Amino acid sequence: MTRKTVAILIALFLCVLFLSTFGSFLTGFAVLDNEEITLKNYHYPFIKNNVPNSLYIVIPYAGEPEEYAAYTRIARSLKLTNPLPPEIVTDKEVPEGAHNLIIIGDPCNNELIAKELNTNKCNIDLRKGEGLLKLINHDRTSTLVVSGYSPDDITKASVVLANSNFYPLRGKEIRVVGKVGSLSLYYY
């Protein structure tokens, strides 16, 4: 190899390294416009190039066991080929700045859900037996709320999300009903 070829290869390597390290900061967190991002695109914008895209999974500070099982289920499904799962924090530990968030719980035990949905109703006007997946897009980030009428209903919503390749996700809000193993989705 000539010196020129070696110099070109080193320059290409450094460019790739730079873009993979600072790419999200320079190109933005999302590639699609906010109107184009729906649950049909899930795992995007939370995972970009098989790496968590400034993603935090937010669990309640004092949550139920079903909520902890839900975050484990979702985090495992998001690992894809990346050996490291997304960062998991409580609603009291979310770092400052713009981040993509998957928030688990209800407005009474996770203050970020109350803020995102602009409600303090614990059941979020859901019927008994309903789980909720709601995508909220912001300027450069997105938030996905995983909630339900009860902790068991949060489990239903997390099962659908964790097994998204088996469920036809679309739109920005999905209600999940039924028993685990025979869940039905309703789109709003």
Side-chain angles (χ1 to χ4, degrees), residues 13 17 19 25 33 52 58 61 63 69 83 91 96 105 123 131 136 138 144-145 148 156 171 176 186:
F13 172 75
L17 180 64
L19 287 176
F25 177 73
D33 289 335
V58 184
Y61 181 74
D91 57 331
E96 292 292 320
N123 65 11
I136 303 159
H138 303 288
L144 179 58
V145 175
K156 295 175 192 177
V176 182
Y186 294 92

Side-chain angles (χ1 to χ4, degrees), residues 42 73 77 158-169:
Y42 184 77
R73 190 177 295 113
S77 75
S158 72
V159 164
V160 168
L161 200 60
N163 298 292
S164 60
N165 51 334
F166 297 113
Y167 292 96
L169 302 182

Side-chain angles (χ1 to χ4, degrees), residues 15-16 39 53 121 123 143 156 174:
C15 286
V16 169
L39 288 167
N53 185 20
K121 295 180 181 178
N123 65 11
T143 300
K156 295 175 192 177
I174 298 175

Side-chain angles (χ1 to χ4, degrees), residues 40-181:
K40 181 180 181 181
N41 307 107
Y42 184 77
H43 298 159
Y44 179 85
F46 306 102
I47 302 293
K48 189 170 155 186
N49 299 325
N50 283 334
V51 178
N53 185 20
S54 186
L55 172 63
Y56 290 91
I57 296 179
V58 184
I59 57 174
Y61 181 74
E64 300 285 331
E66 292 87 352
E67 291 161 335
Y68 294 114
Y71 91 74
T72 303
R73 190 177 295 113
I74 293 168
R76 282 187 187 144
S77 75
L78 288 171
K79 279 178 54 174
L80 303 175
T81 59
N82 188 4
L84 300 174
E87 187 124 8
I88 298 167
V89 297
T90 69
D91 57 331
K92 313 260 188 266
E93 302 170 330
V94 177
E96 292 292 320
H99 303 286
N100 289 309
L101 304 174
I102 296 177
I103 309 173
I104 300 169
D106 64 53
C108 290
N109 69 5
N110 192 323
E111 62 191 37
L112 289 178
I113 292 178
K115 180 181 168 191
E116 287 289 335
L117 299 180
N118 198 24
T119 185
N120 286 326
K121 295 180 181 178
C122 291
N123 65 11
I124 319 171
D125 291 329
L126 296 171
R127 295 185 188 125
K128 187 175 182 178
E130 281 187 331
L132 174 71
L133 296 172
K134 184 172 179 103
L135 180 66
I136 303 159
N137 295 317
H138 303 288
D139 278 339
R140 295 179 49 184
T141 61
S142 295
T143 300
L144 179 58
V145 175
V146 180
S147 191
Y149 184 86
S150 70
D152 289 335
D153 301 323
I154 293 171
T155 297
K156 295 175 192 177
S158 72
V159 164
V160 168
L161 200 60
N163 298 292
S164 60
N165 51 334
F166 297 113
Y167 292 96
L169 302 182
R170 63 178 182 259
K172 295 192 179 193
E173 183 174 335
I174 298 175
R175 307 273 174 109
V176 182
V177 297
K179 295 187 183 292
V180 173

